[in-house]
Amino acid sequence: EVQLVESGGGLVQPGGSLRLSCEVSGFTFTKHWMTWVRQAPGKGLEWVANIKQDGTEKWYVDSAKGRFTISRDNAKNSLYLQMISLRVEDTAVYYCARDLGESGDFGMDVWGQGTTVTVSS
Amino acid sequence: QMTQSPSSLSASVGDRVTITCRASQSISTYVNWYQHKPGKAPRLLINAASTLQSGVPSRFRGSRSGTDFTLTISSLQPEDFATYYCQQSYNNPYTFGQGTKLEIK
């Protein structure tokens, strides 16, 4: 069964850090771009970052640049999102997702259940 | 940039509804459509503007006219009431539209 399982969410103070993980199973991880998407309370989906199969190419939404780092460990079938300098507006449910297509440009067909990040004092 | 409309829509079971996304530049057919229900993961319905994903009912249809992309749901079913998003995957970052909340009239 194809599965993505996120972990690492929680409550953190503004300015703090958090590292999200996404463990995948049931498919060949090294064949897919991977993406993080978030949804803040009462808001729509926001694409956050993606990473190429070998980790050599990464893209970020402007609000994440310089603060978030996406990475992957292909030996562990795991995707990560390191977040520093967290802001209240980073409060959201964070999803990891599998991208379709060699270049990751045909949508995200498998999603995790999400992990909740709350940034509050 | 993807501009999605309407932001909300009330309809009845059996109705036909249309949701539109307009791209700010030519993006070929690199548009995907998702359904999202509260407390659940988003679901990919259509990719490449018009390719229906496996297991998605045929009442969902995607189309393109230039830089305008449309999701049509013919004959709404109770399980279709959700929020729908378009997404462009032509240029990173792969942005979503603002979403359309489809509610029961």
Side-chain angles (χ1 to χ4, degrees):
Chain A
E1 181 191 3
V2 175
Q3 205 169 7
L4 307 179
V5 179
E6 301 99 335
S7 61
L11 174 63
V12 62
Q13 292 189 336
S17 301
L18 215 51
R19 187 197 197 206
L20 306 184
S21 299
C22 172
E23 190 171 333
V24 316
S25 58
F27 66 96
T28 304
F29 185 53
T30 53
K31 287 189 174 181
H32 294 270
W33 281 72
M34 297 293 296
T35 294
W36 286 98
V37 173
R38 67 184 180 182
Q39 184 178 37
K43 303 292 187 182
L45 298 177
E46 180 179 36
W47 185 99
V48 176
N50 68 359
I51 185 168
K52 194 176 178 178
Q53 291 89 334
D54 60 4
T56 58
E57 192 173 336
K58 307 174 185 181
W59 294 86
Y60 299 90
V61 68
D62 283 349
S63 59
K65 288 177 183 175
R67 299 188 304 124
F68 293 5
T69 302
I70 189 172
S71 62
R72 62 193 294 163
D73 185 334
N74 287 343
K76 294 183 178 179
N77 283 349
S78 292
L79 176 72
Y80 305 102
L81 187 67
Q82 177 69 51
M83 304 184 293
I84 66 170
S85 302
L86 281 162
R87 306 166 180 166
V88 170
E89 54 265 34
D90 296 317
T91 295
V93 175
Y94 285 73
Y95 298 97
C96 63
R98 181 180 83 170
D99 290 292
L100 282 175
E102 180 69 24
S103 300
D105 48 6
F106 286 100
M108 295 167 279
D109 70 328
V110 181
W111 296 65
Q113 84 287 353
T115 187
T116 300
V117 172
T118 303
V119 184
S120 175
S121 55
Chain B
Q1 183 88 352
M2 298 293 284
T3 303
Q4 185 172 344
S5 62
S7 57
S8 64
L9 184 54
S10 291
S12 301
V13 172
D15 283 354
R16 174 188 174 100
V17 299
T18 298
I19 298 168
T20 299
C21 274
R22 173 165 290 173
S24 57
Q25 64 178 76
S26 176
I27 57 171
S28 186
T29 58
Y30 289 93
V31 168
N32 314 300
W33 289 96
Y34 299 85
Q35 178 190 67
H36 193 201
K37 296 181 179 180
K40 293 199 165 185
R43 178 191 184 192
L44 178 64
L45 301 174
I46 288 167
N47 68 357
S50 61
T51 301
L52 198 67
Q53 294 302 288
S54 175
V56 176
S58 58
R59 62 181 179 272
F60 290 90
R61 189 174 74 90
S63 61
R64 169 205 178 196
S65 176
T67 57
D68 289 341
F69 297 84
T70 299
L71 173 69
T72 301
I73 313 171
S74 60
S75 191
L76 275 172
Q77 297 301 300
E79 60 268 28
D80 298 338
F81 292 94
T83 302
Y84 292 85
Y85 297 88
C86 62
Q87 181 212 16
Q88 66 82 17
S89 52
Y90 180 77
N91 270 329
N92 269 305
Y94 292 161
T95 48
F96 287 98
Q98 298 86 343
T100 296
K101 187 172 184 179
L102 180 52
E103 299 175 304
I104 301 174
K105 185 183 286 184

